[in-house]
Amino acid sequence: MTEPVTVSADEHHPEHHGAGHEGPHGYISNKDNYLKRLRRIEGQARGLQGMVTDDKYCIDILTQVSAMTSALQSVALGLLDDHLNHCVRDAAAAGGPEADAKIKEASAAIARLVRS
């Protein structure tokens, strides 16, 4: 089984170079919460590896995969909400091509989430 390939936002949209807009990102007020949740998910991933190593029952592993998937989806939806309520809202208020780009970018992100 091959490892999943992680693609950064910069690789999807090199023109953004990780910035996307001036000023702090929309999630900044929730950063500590997101980091805590991501560390918990990281622990779940290590737990899953241990379950496979220890030859645990398939259904038990699948149950934990489902829990981890739900946790990741929750983080993704929170980040999306923060992005819409900060980055997209600010760009829309300013108008112009940046607003159009932010809406298109958010739509593409939603499409990726729906497909995953």
Side-chain angles (χ1 to χ4, degrees), residues 2-45:
T2 60
E3 292 293 315
V5 176
T6 303
V7 179
S8 72
D10 290 350
E11 292 175 44
H12 280 299
H13 303 286
E15 69 277 10
H16 293 179
H17 299 292
H21 69 86
E22 297 300 320
H25 296 294
Y27 63 83
I28 198 75
S29 63
N30 295 318
K31 184 176 179 177
D32 290 339
N33 184 41
Y34 284 122
L35 287 171
K36 186 167 106 175
R37 292 166 72 186
L38 289 168
R39 285 185 198 103
R40 194 174 315 130
I41 293 166
E42 182 180 25
Q44 286 178 293

Side-chain angles (χ1 to χ4, degrees), residues 91-107:
E98 184 178 345
D100 295 337
K102 286 291 179 200
I103 291 169
K104 185 176 179 181
E105 178 184 63
S107 181

